[in-house]
Amino acid sequence: MNSVTSHNRITALGGVAVAVTLASATAWAAAVPAGAASKPTALSLIGSPGTAGLYAWGAATMPDGSILLGDYWNYRIVHYEESGAPASPLVFTGKQGFGGSTNQAPFGICVDTTNGPDAGDVYMTEGSEYNVNQYSKTGVFITSWGTTNAVHAVNFDYPSQCAVNPTNGKLYISNQWGKDMVILDPANPTAPAQFISPPSPNNFIQPRGLAFDSSGNLWIADQGHHRIEIWPNGLTGTKPLKTINPPGGVGSTFDMRGLAIDTKSNLAFVANGQNCLVQEFNANPSSPNYGQFVTNFNGVGSTGSDCGSGPGQFGDGARDLAVAGNGDVWVADLADFRAEVFNESGTYLFSVPNPPAPPPNGSFNGPRGVAFDSAGDLFVTDTYNERIEEFTKGSGGYVFSKAWGIRGTTASTFNYPRLMCYDKVNGFLIVANTDGNEIVAWSTAGKEQWFVGGMATPYGVACGADGTIYVANGNGGNIVVVSSAGAMTGTIGSGLGFVRGIWVDTDGSIWASNMTTGAIDHFSATGTKLTGFSTGSGTAPFGIAGDAGYLYVALSSTNEVGQYTRAGKLVQTFGGAGKALGQLRTPQGLAFGPDGNLYVVEENNNRLSVWSVP
């Protein structure tokens, strides 16, 4: 068990009341069997969609020297002049969807700067879709490669960053989890993709940032090896020309992301995520110091770090970067909702937008979990905004009280929080910090108490009456048991598939949902496997909650909540796809409130709906 108490990176957002929409409607999405319970009724809605002005992730330079920024959770690419003024069009592309001329979250961006037939075209990698899209220089969709409704099938395994070879226009993509490099030829889009994987010890483990220098050598930030490799002639041969170990030693740089090179000044820039820095290297192939470290940005020492939200700092490490036509270096600062601009000496110049526009209070972007404390206050994990929001009960319903959080991988930060529960024994909120592979205990005032790491993408948590915590350990295929003091005490089950939702019944038994198979597994309080049931293939069950009569399961893929007996008999479903009161879109976490109503978190409607259930 690991214990931390630091809370110096918590951002408090307090004091603003947000009105809650109140209405009443009846929803009915399935016939009620004879003698079954009465129909659930949707009573009200809490929250609304709310995103930051910019979730800067990818970055690239256009032929005219202007800058493109991947606006990750707004599902678009935005365009700025070198000066920081909005370019025309500001929104380069932003038609959200799956396949065709649509896009999801832009991960990496690169531009064809050759004089060939695709000159000026823009390429965008979509890690979540395993696709790469091609757009014209005005943002018109041309084609795509990948696995999700793409025009051309390519078996990517999480495409990360990209770069266009300046000599031949071929597209290089770091296939992050495939541990290889993929080369496409946009001039011949139907040609088979090349998958390049050099032999050990020069193999790739987790390639990310890519850039070509003035001699056509390819620089690769290999996060898995914690090093930068320089490969000749765009990736030829079986070993790199040079291997760069960042200052501080091989293991000192963690979570390396973007990489950019100014071929005029022959300087390379790499994002050092762990230390929240941009590091500069000599990229002049004819120099005897080729590949050597030059400086850290913002005046930080060679082995220092600079995390924060001040001028020139990064809340969660720099994401991607690009060099504008005037030589300024633009760096995506995702956690602080901005991009920061430096000169090539590492001096901070300005930010875009200025001031940043954080997500509004009381709104959600991909919420997942809900819990109530002993006072009856409501807490919601606002997943893509990387925070927890608290709502208190007023005369007209729940109103926003405060929020805390920032994206990060250090103490008192969030890395995609999902389901949570309230431990009545200690008065803590227990949160599944999914991409941090940990669960975290927070006071309701927003102070971190302890964490337990070493898990495998935990999605759900459940709090027992005695303070024992049960964790749906996603990719671990089991349930992890943790004491109320934050000590891991054992596991329940094995080979359960991808477990997501979990709930402790009044008798102490445990119910857990399997996203892959639709199974709801049931275990005794001592971990003995009991008889469970199935919600059906393709339902993707998530959150679970129960009352004296029934179990309720969020059926994410069918946009419904299922009501079941404890013997596994389906009584009815309610909801159905839509935005109106009484409809649901991707239900996630479930919890019964102190008023006896069922609260349903709707990820894709960015709200909670409140239901009176039999």
Side-chain angles (χ1 to χ4, degrees):
M1 188 273 291
N2 299 302
S3 178
V4 292
T5 56
S6 171
H7 58 96
N8 59 351
R9 293 187 63 192
I10 296 176
T11 302
L13 307 170
V16 179
V18 177
V20 177
T21 303
L22 295 176
S24 181
T26 298
W28 186 238
V32 183
S38 58
K39 301 175 183 179
T41 302
L43 302 175
S44 62
L45 303 174
I46 299 173
S48 60
T51 59
L54 176 66
Y55 297 91
W57 195 308
T61 310
M62 294 292 281
D64 64 359
S66 60
I67 294 291
L68 296 178
L69 294 173
D71 190 1
Y72 197 76
W73 290 123
N74 285 317
Y75 306 101
R76 63 182 187 173
I77 296 174
V78 292
H79 188 196
Y80 289 94
E81 301 290 358
E82 298 166 327
S83 65
S88 182
L90 172 61
V91 179
F92 178 81
T93 180
K95 186 178 179 182
Q96 184 184 0
F98 294 89
S101 59
T102 64
N103 60 264
Q104 290 294 304
F107 198 81
I109 311 172
C110 55
V111 179
D112 187 333
T113 58
T114 69
N115 294 319
D118 298 303
D121 284 358
V122 177
Y123 301 91
M124 180 186 76
T125 64
E126 298 179 318
S128 60
E129 282 203 302
Y130 291 20
N131 282 2
V132 176
N133 291 350
Q134 180 182 14
Y135 300 92
S136 72
K137 59 186 177 183
T138 58
V140 177
F141 176 81
I142 297 174
T143 192
S144 60
W145 298 263
T147 63
T148 308
N149 299 323
V151 178
H152 308 290
V154 174
N155 190 27
F156 288 118
D157 195 354
Y158 204 79
S160 182
Q161 306 294 330
C162 63
V164 178
N165 191 318
T167 60
N168 58 24
K170 290 188 176 182
L171 179 63
Y172 288 65
I173 301 153
S174 52
N175 196 29
Q176 184 168 309
W177 300 123
K179 302 180 181 180
D180 51 22
M181 201 66 52
V182 180
I183 304 176
L184 303 175
D185 185 1
N188 186 10
T190 61
Q194 292 179 266
F195 289 77
I196 307 296
S197 180
S200 181
N202 302 308
N203 60 308
F204 306 127
I205 293 182
Q206 195 179 346
R208 288 182 173 173
L210 304 175
F212 286 89
D213 66 21
S214 57
S215 291
N217 298 325
L218 179 63
W219 291 50
I220 302 172
D222 188 344
Q223 153 61 18
H225 277 125
H226 304 294
R227 68 192 183 195
I228 301 166
E229 300 169 4
I230 306 175
W231 287 81
N233 303 315
L235 193 55
T236 57
T238 58
K239 63 180 181 179
L241 288 171
K242 281 185 175 290
T243 296
I244 302 170
N245 295 321
V250 174
S252 66
T253 295
F254 177 77
D255 205 12
M256 288 193 299
R257 296 159 182 166
L259 202 162
I261 294 177
D262 184 348
T263 56
K264 297 176 184 177
S265 63
N266 283 317
L267 292 171
F269 311 94
V270 64
N272 178 332
Q274 178 173 313
N275 294 333
C276 302
L277 289 173
V278 173
Q279 295 180 307
E280 183 176 313
F281 298 86
N282 184 323
N284 185 351
S286 62
S287 167
N289 298 319
Y290 183 48
Q292 286 190 11
F293 172 75
V294 176
T295 190
N296 284 336
F297 276 23
N298 214 29
V300 179
S302 62
T303 60
S305 62
D306 195 23
C307 300
S309 58
Q313 294 182 311
F314 303 99
D316 180 32
R319 289 278 146 180
D320 203 358
L321 25 68
V323 181
N326 61 5
D328 290 342
V329 182
W330 286 57
V331 189
D333 183 14
L334 176 76
D336 292 323
F337 313 117
R338 64 188 179 182
E340 297 189 275
V341 184
F342 301 79
N343 65 23
E344 292 194 343
S345 296
T347 302
Y348 168 78
L349 301 176
F350 60 89
S351 296
V352 174
N354 191 14
N361 293 331
S363 65
F364 304 120
N365 186 7
R368 296 298 203 282
V370 56
F372 293 86
D373 67 7
S374 297
D377 292 338
L378 171 94
F379 296 84
V380 181
T381 51
D382 187 11
T383 302
Y384 296 153
N385 284 329
E386 305 284 359
R387 63 183 181 178
I388 289 177
E389 294 192 90
E390 179 184 8
F391 296 79
T392 57
K393 192 69 176 288
S395 58
Y398 279 96
V399 295
F400 174 80
S401 174
K402 67 174 180 290
W404 70 87
I406 187 173
R407 179 182 165 86
T409 56
T410 57
S412 299
T413 62
F414 291 107
N415 199 349
Y416 297 125
R418 285 183 167 83
L419 300 191
M420 65 177 166
C421 62
Y422 179 70
D423 174 18
K424 295 180 180 179
V425 173
N426 290 310
F428 296 155
L429 291 167
I430 310 299
V431 181
N433 196 34
T434 303
D435 285 26
N437 296 308
E438 64 189 8
I439 64 166
V440 185
W442 295 83
S443 73
T444 55
K447 182 177 180 180
E448 184 175 318
Q449 305 298 308
W450 50 256
F451 76 93
V452 177
M455 299 183 189
T457 56
Y459 265 58
V461 287
C463 296
D466 63 353
T468 302
I469 298 155
Y470 302 90
V471 185
N473 191 27
N475 280 316
N478 62 4
I479 297 167
V480 177
V481 185
V482 177
S483 74
S484 63
M488 188 183 298
T489 60
T491 60
I492 294 174
S494 63
L496 301 180
F498 196 96
V499 284
R500 295 204 298 178
I502 191 165
W503 180 70
V504 182
D505 212 329
T506 54
D507 63 358
S509 64
I510 303 112
W511 300 85
S513 64
N514 185 321
M515 179 185 72
T516 309
T517 65
I520 306 297
D521 293 308
H522 191 200
F523 295 90
S524 73
T526 58
T528 301
K529 182 69 181 294
L530 304 174
T531 302
F533 60 91
S534 175
T535 62
S537 176
T539 56
F542 202 166
I544 304 173
D547 57 16
Y550 303 101
L551 293 178
Y552 296 85
V553 181
L555 307 177
S556 300
S557 294
T558 61
N559 300 295
E560 298 169 312
V561 173
Q563 181 186 38
Y564 297 86
T565 68
R566 280 169 171 74
K569 179 181 178 181
L570 175 65
V571 177
Q572 58 188 325
T573 60
F574 54 94
K579 296 183 179 181
L581 179 67
Q583 295 179 312
L584 301 169
R585 292 180 65 207
T586 323
Q588 304 282 287
L590 305 177
F592 276 93
D595 54 9
N597 292 322
L598 180 65
Y599 288 70
V600 181
V601 180
E602 301 180 49
E603 177 193 353
N604 285 331
N605 273 335
N606 293 300
R607 69 189 188 191
L608 275 73
S609 53
V610 186
W611 296 77
S612 173
V613 296

